[in-house]
mmCIF file of all heavy atoms in Angstrom:
data_model
loop_
_atom_site.group_PDB
_atom_site.id
_atom_site.type_symbol
_atom_site.label_atom_id
_atom_site.label_comp_id
_atom_site.label_asym_id
_atom_site.label_seq_id
_atom_site.Cartn_x
_atom_site.Cartn_y
_atom_site.Cartn_z
ATOM 1 N N HIS A 1253 -160.791 -101.371 309.292
ATOM 2 C CA HIS A 1253 -160.755 -100.864 310.626
ATOM 3 C C HIS A 1253 -162.105 -100.743 311.247
ATOM 4 O O HIS A 1253 -163.127 -101.013 310.524
ATOM 5 C CB HIS A 1253 -159.997 -99.490 310.791
ATOM 6 C CG HIS A 1253 -160.749 -98.375 310.100
ATOM 7 N ND1 HIS A 1253 -161.833 -97.735 310.751
ATOM 8 C CD2 HIS A 1253 -160.643 -97.740 308.923
ATOM 9 C CE1 HIS A 1253 -162.255 -96.761 309.994
ATOM 10 N NE2 HIS A 1253 -161.598 -96.728 308.799
ATOM 11 N N ILE A 1254 -162.260 -100.482 312.494
ATOM 12 C CA ILE A 1254 -163.514 -100.483 313.280
ATOM 13 C C ILE A 1254 -164.273 -99.140 312.939
ATOM 14 O O ILE A 1254 -163.712 -98.120 312.886
ATOM 15 C CB ILE A 1254 -163.248 -100.581 314.715
ATOM 16 C CG1 ILE A 1254 -162.707 -102.001 315.087
ATOM 17 C CG2 ILE A 1254 -164.508 -100.358 315.589
ATOM 18 C CD1 ILE A 1254 -162.254 -102.125 316.514
ATOM 19 N N ASN A 1255 -165.549 -99.331 312.660
ATOM 20 C CA ASN A 1255 -166.436 -98.160 312.491
ATOM 21 C C ASN A 1255 -166.931 -97.680 313.892
ATOM 22 O O ASN A 1255 -167.801 -98.470 314.512
ATOM 23 C CB ASN A 1255 -167.593 -98.575 311.637
ATOM 24 C CG ASN A 1255 -168.742 -97.594 311.588
ATOM 25 O OD1 ASN A 1255 -168.482 -96.333 311.871
ATOM 26 N ND2 ASN A 1255 -169.956 -97.956 311.256
ATOM 27 N N ASN A 1256 -166.405 -96.680 314.392
ATOM 28 C CA ASN A 1256 -166.789 -96.205 315.728
ATOM 29 C C ASN A 1256 -168.205 -95.561 315.841
ATOM 30 O O ASN A 1256 -168.639 -95.274 316.917
ATOM 31 C CB ASN A 1256 -165.754 -95.204 316.283
ATOM 32 C CG ASN A 1256 -165.644 -93.899 315.460
ATOM 33 O OD1 ASN A 1256 -166.406 -93.711 314.440
ATOM 34 N ND2 ASN A 1256 -164.760 -93.007 315.872
ATOM 35 N N GLN A 1257 -168.915 -95.541 314.709
ATOM 36 C CA GLN A 1257 -170.267 -95.027 314.787
ATOM 37 C C GLN A 1257 -171.342 -96.224 314.784
ATOM 38 O O GLN A 1257 -172.510 -95.919 314.881
ATOM 39 C CB GLN A 1257 -170.610 -94.212 313.575
ATOM 40 C CG GLN A 1257 -169.753 -92.936 313.422
ATOM 41 C CD GLN A 1257 -169.861 -92.112 314.691
ATOM 42 O OE1 GLN A 1257 -170.969 -91.679 315.069
ATOM 43 N NE2 GLN A 1257 -168.788 -91.785 315.285
ATOM 44 N N TYR A 1258 -170.838 -97.452 314.742
ATOM 45 C CA TYR A 1258 -171.734 -98.556 314.752
ATOM 46 C C TYR A 1258 -172.275 -98.711 316.187
ATOM 47 O O TYR A 1258 -171.591 -98.687 317.157
ATOM 48 C CB TYR A 1258 -170.911 -99.802 314.364
ATOM 49 C CG TYR A 1258 -171.643 -101.140 314.564
ATOM 50 C CD1 TYR A 1258 -172.696 -101.472 313.763
ATOM 51 C CD2 TYR A 1258 -171.277 -101.967 315.593
ATOM 52 C CE1 TYR A 1258 -173.419 -102.695 314.006
ATOM 53 C CE2 TYR A 1258 -171.917 -103.217 315.826
ATOM 54 C CZ TYR A 1258 -173.002 -103.510 315.032
ATOM 55 O OH TYR A 1258 -173.686 -104.676 315.183
ATOM 56 N N VAL A 1259 -173.624 -98.942 316.220
ATOM 57 C CA VAL A 1259 -174.270 -99.195 317.466
ATOM 58 C C VAL A 1259 -174.848 -100.618 317.379
ATOM 59 O O VAL A 1259 -175.653 -100.934 316.427
ATOM 60 C CB VAL A 1259 -175.418 -98.150 317.716
ATOM 61 C CG1 VAL A 1259 -176.109 -98.561 319.037
ATOM 62 C CG2 VAL A 1259 -174.792 -96.835 317.768
ATOM 63 N N ARG A 1260 -174.657 -101.440 318.354
ATOM 64 C CA ARG A 1260 -175.063 -102.825 318.252
ATOM 65 C C ARG A 1260 -176.576 -102.984 318.595
ATOM 66 O O ARG A 1260 -176.945 -102.363 319.588
ATOM 67 C CB ARG A 1260 -174.244 -103.674 319.176
ATOM 68 C CG ARG A 1260 -174.688 -105.173 319.109
ATOM 69 C CD ARG A 1260 -173.704 -106.084 319.755
ATOM 70 N NE ARG A 1260 -174.080 -107.476 319.626
ATOM 71 C CZ ARG A 1260 -173.319 -108.505 319.874
ATOM 72 N NH1 ARG A 1260 -172.020 -108.281 320.255
ATOM 73 N NH2 ARG A 1260 -173.712 -109.761 319.734
ATOM 74 N N HIS A 1261 -177.235 -103.704 317.798
ATOM 75 C CA HIS A 1261 -178.657 -104.091 318.117
ATOM 76 C C HIS A 1261 -178.750 -105.504 317.737
ATOM 77 O O HIS A 1261 -178.798 -105.805 316.448
ATOM 78 C CB HIS A 1261 -179.622 -103.177 317.402
ATOM 79 C CG HIS A 1261 -179.554 -101.730 317.783
ATOM 80 N ND1 HIS A 1261 -180.003 -101.258 319.016
ATOM 81 C CD2 HIS A 1261 -179.146 -100.665 317.022
ATOM 82 C CE1 HIS A 1261 -179.806 -99.963 319.058
ATOM 83 N NE2 HIS A 1261 -179.271 -99.549 317.896
ATOM 84 N N GLY A 1262 -178.858 -106.402 318.690
ATOM 85 C CA GLY A 1262 -179.022 -107.810 318.361
ATOM 86 C C GLY A 1262 -177.634 -108.352 317.932
ATOM 87 O O GLY A 1262 -176.591 -108.056 318.556
ATOM 88 N N GLU A 1263 -177.616 -109.320 317.003
ATOM 89 C CA GLU A 1263 -176.371 -109.981 316.589
ATOM 90 C C GLU A 1263 -175.436 -108.900 315.937
ATOM 91 O O GLU A 1263 -175.831 -108.000 315.282
ATOM 92 C CB GLU A 1263 -176.656 -111.092 315.481
ATOM 93 C CG GLU A 1263 -177.480 -112.253 316.100
ATOM 94 C CD GLU A 1263 -176.631 -112.978 317.140
ATOM 95 O OE1 GLU A 1263 -175.369 -113.173 316.862
ATOM 96 O OE2 GLU A 1263 -177.179 -113.339 318.155
ATOM 97 N N LEU A 1264 -174.157 -109.144 316.150
ATOM 98 C CA LEU A 1264 -173.144 -108.284 315.622
ATOM 99 C C LEU A 1264 -173.140 -108.321 314.069
ATOM 100 O O LEU A 1264 -173.118 -109.397 313.502
ATOM 101 C CB LEU A 1264 -171.769 -108.722 316.102
ATOM 102 C CG LEU A 1264 -170.602 -107.739 315.914
ATOM 103 C CD1 LEU A 1264 -170.777 -106.514 316.878
ATOM 104 C CD2 LEU A 1264 -169.286 -108.450 316.231
ATOM 105 N N ASP A 1265 -173.168 -107.140 313.416
ATOM 106 C CA ASP A 1265 -173.200 -107.103 311.975
ATOM 107 C C ASP A 1265 -171.810 -106.703 311.541
ATOM 108 O O ASP A 1265 -171.369 -105.600 311.637
ATOM 109 C CB ASP A 1265 -174.218 -106.070 311.624
ATOM 110 C CG ASP A 1265 -174.378 -105.921 310.052
ATOM 111 O OD1 ASP A 1265 -173.442 -106.296 309.301
ATOM 112 O OD2 ASP A 1265 -175.475 -105.577 309.573
ATOM 113 N N LEU A 1266 -171.046 -107.684 311.033
ATOM 114 C CA LEU A 1266 -169.655 -107.468 310.615
ATOM 115 C C LEU A 1266 -169.586 -106.398 309.592
ATOM 116 O O LEU A 1266 -168.561 -105.595 309.575
ATOM 117 C CB LEU A 1266 -169.024 -108.792 310.082
ATOM 118 C CG LEU A 1266 -168.757 -109.843 311.161
ATOM 119 C CD1 LEU A 1266 -167.978 -111.006 310.557
ATOM 120 C CD2 LEU A 1266 -168.099 -109.374 312.386
ATOM 121 N N ASN A 1267 -170.486 -106.392 308.670
ATOM 122 C CA ASN A 1267 -170.404 -105.280 307.524
ATOM 123 C C ASN A 1267 -170.632 -103.943 307.996
ATOM 124 O O ASN A 1267 -170.223 -103.023 307.361
ATOM 125 C CB ASN A 1267 -171.448 -105.696 306.386
ATOM 126 C CG ASN A 1267 -171.091 -107.027 305.739
ATOM 127 O OD1 ASN A 1267 -169.903 -107.126 305.298
ATOM 128 N ND2 ASN A 1267 -172.012 -107.886 305.656
ATOM 129 N N GLU A 1268 -171.323 -103.867 309.196
ATOM 130 C CA GLU A 1268 -171.521 -102.524 309.753
ATOM 131 C C GLU A 1268 -170.419 -102.183 310.751
ATOM 132 O O GLU A 1268 -170.050 -101.043 310.892
ATOM 133 C CB GLU A 1268 -172.896 -102.438 310.367
ATOM 134 C CG GLU A 1268 -174.046 -102.453 309.471
ATOM 135 C CD GLU A 1268 -174.106 -101.273 308.582
ATOM 136 O OE1 GLU A 1268 -173.727 -100.198 309.041
ATOM 137 O OE2 GLU A 1268 -174.552 -101.332 307.364
ATOM 138 N N PHE A 1269 -169.980 -103.180 311.482
ATOM 139 C CA PHE A 1269 -168.892 -103.009 312.518
ATOM 140 C C PHE A 1269 -167.628 -102.629 311.848
ATOM 141 O O PHE A 1269 -166.915 -101.761 312.391
ATOM 142 C CB PHE A 1269 -168.779 -104.333 313.306
ATOM 143 C CG PHE A 1269 -167.590 -104.305 314.255
ATOM 144 C CD1 PHE A 1269 -167.799 -103.523 315.408
ATOM 145 C CD2 PHE A 1269 -166.501 -104.988 314.093
ATOM 146 C CE1 PHE A 1269 -166.760 -103.454 316.375
ATOM 147 C CE2 PHE A 1269 -165.459 -104.992 314.999
ATOM 148 C CZ PHE A 1269 -165.583 -104.187 316.135
ATOM 149 N N PHE A 1270 -167.299 -103.182 310.699
ATOM 150 C CA PHE A 1270 -166.007 -102.841 310.045
ATOM 151 C C PHE A 1270 -166.241 -101.873 308.886
ATOM 152 O O PHE A 1270 -167.189 -101.837 308.307
ATOM 153 C CB PHE A 1270 -165.361 -104.159 309.466
ATOM 154 C CG PHE A 1270 -164.760 -105.033 310.481
ATOM 155 C CD1 PHE A 1270 -165.272 -106.310 310.713
ATOM 156 C CD2 PHE A 1270 -163.722 -104.667 311.239
ATOM 157 C CE1 PHE A 1270 -164.796 -107.160 311.672
ATOM 158 C CE2 PHE A 1270 -163.049 -105.555 312.189
ATOM 159 C CZ PHE A 1270 -163.642 -106.755 312.412
ATOM 160 N N THR A 1271 -165.147 -101.022 308.780
ATOM 161 C CA THR A 1271 -165.102 -100.083 307.568
ATOM 162 C C THR A 1271 -163.887 -100.542 306.730
ATOM 163 O O THR A 1271 -162.803 -100.864 307.235
ATOM 164 C CB THR A 1271 -164.890 -98.640 308.026
ATOM 165 O OG1 THR A 1271 -166.068 -98.177 308.750
ATOM 166 C CG2 THR A 1271 -164.622 -97.747 306.843
ATOM 167 N N ILE A 1272 -164.203 -100.697 305.457
ATOM 168 C CA ILE A 1272 -163.068 -101.060 304.532
ATOM 169 C C ILE A 1272 -162.680 -99.848 303.688
ATOM 170 O O ILE A 1272 -163.512 -99.133 303.055
ATOM 171 C CB ILE A 1272 -163.576 -102.276 303.532
ATOM 172 C CG1 ILE A 1272 -163.890 -103.441 304.444
ATOM 173 C CG2 ILE A 1272 -162.455 -102.561 302.622
ATOM 174 C CD1 ILE A 1272 -164.498 -104.589 303.524
ATOM 175 N N VAL A 1273 -161.464 -99.510 303.832
ATOM 176 C CA VAL A 1273 -160.877 -98.259 303.024
ATOM 177 C C VAL A 1273 -159.973 -98.784 301.979
ATOM 178 O O VAL A 1273 -158.905 -99.473 302.220
ATOM 179 C CB VAL A 1273 -160.133 -97.392 304.028
ATOM 180 C CG1 VAL A 1273 -159.589 -96.143 303.288
ATOM 181 C CG2 VAL A 1273 -161.014 -96.986 305.176
ATOM 182 N N ASP A 1274 -160.257 -98.450 300.719
ATOM 183 C CA ASP A 1274 -159.428 -98.857 299.559
ATOM 184 C C ASP A 1274 -158.170 -97.915 299.479
ATOM 185 O O ASP A 1274 -158.286 -96.761 299.224
ATOM 186 C CB ASP A 1274 -160.225 -98.710 298.293
ATOM 187 C CG ASP A 1274 -159.518 -99.301 297.102
ATOM 188 O OD1 ASP A 1274 -158.350 -99.472 297.136
ATOM 189 O OD2 ASP A 1274 -160.253 -99.586 296.113
ATOM 190 N N LEU A 1275 -157.010 -98.593 299.751
ATOM 191 C CA LEU A 1275 -155.715 -97.821 299.748
ATOM 192 C C LEU A 1275 -154.956 -98.179 298.489
ATOM 193 O O LEU A 1275 -153.650 -97.928 298.435
ATOM 194 C CB LEU A 1275 -155.055 -98.149 301.015
ATOM 195 C CG LEU A 1275 -155.495 -97.707 302.340
ATOM 196 C CD1 LEU A 1275 -154.636 -98.134 303.467
ATOM 197 C CD2 LEU A 1275 -155.821 -96.246 302.362
ATOM 198 N N THR A 1276 -155.536 -98.791 297.483
ATOM 199 C CA THR A 1276 -154.819 -99.255 296.268
ATOM 200 C C THR A 1276 -153.908 -98.213 295.654
ATOM 201 O O THR A 1276 -152.754 -98.285 295.446
ATOM 202 C CB THR A 1276 -155.792 -99.915 295.301
ATOM 203 O OG1 THR A 1276 -156.599 -100.825 295.917
ATOM 204 C CG2 THR A 1276 -154.942 -100.617 294.185
#
């Protein structure tokens, strides 16, 4: 899902923009 604390500076950083939550 989207990381709502991410602030863009320059090129979009997918690893910072997205949050991965392990639901296993």
Side-chain angles (χ1 to χ4, degrees):
H1253 69 79
I1254 294 173
N1255 170 20
N1256 62 1
Q1257 297 305 305
Y1258 171 70
V1259 180
R1260 181 167 185 166
H1261 296 290
E1263 291 298 314
L1264 193 70
D1265 186 334
L1266 293 187
N1267 293 310
E1268 292 294 327
F1269 175 70
F1270 286 112
T1271 295
I1272 300 175
V1273 181
D1274 189 339
L1275 297 179
T1276 309

